[in-house]
Amino acid sequence: MTEFKVQLEDKLVQTIGYSTIEKYLNEYLNQIILKISAQEVLSDLKSFDLENDSKWKLAREQAWKEQGYLYHK
């Protein structure tokens, strides 16, 4: 595991609080991980040809048969 050292003004830590800053940093890092994961998925998705995949086509048709009534009013 890699550890990063972040320097903050003491007044900022006193004003916001150590645990609040730690919470925000963890949330931000989780968002970064999520964005990177999403980019990887999107880049992998380009390698799939779902329009011409028979299993995907069958699943789409089945889903429409089961759920299509939700979109017809």
Side-chain angles (χ1 to χ4, degrees):
M1 180 182 281
T2 302
E3 184 175 317
F4 285 92
K5 183 176 181 178
V6 178
Q7 293 183 348
L8 301 171
E9 293 292 328
D10 290 335
K11 188 170 184 165
L12 176 67
V13 176
Q14 291 170 355
T15 303
I16 299 174
Y18 181 88
S19 60
T20 302
I21 293 171
E22 187 176 43
K23 178 182 137 198
Y24 285 140
L25 288 173
N26 282 323
E27 288 175 0
Y28 184 71
L29 290 173
N30 285 332
Q31 288 176 357
I32 290 172
I33 292 168
L34 183 62
K35 286 180 183 181
I36 291 169
S37 298
Q39 288 173 348
E40 289 175 359
V41 168
L42 288 174
S43 67
D44 287 346
L45 191 59
K46 293 176 185 176
S47 66
F48 296 106
D49 185 15
L50 293 179
E51 289 297 318
N52 296 314
D53 185 285
S54 60
K55 290 180 182 177
W56 176 255
K57 192 173 189 176
L58 182 63
R60 237 184 16 225
E61 290 170 0
Q62 185 66 33
W64 182 253
K65 286 178 187 174
E66 292 175 8
Q67 302 291 320
Y69 71 93
L70 294 172
Y71 302 98
H72 288 289
K73 296 199 177 194

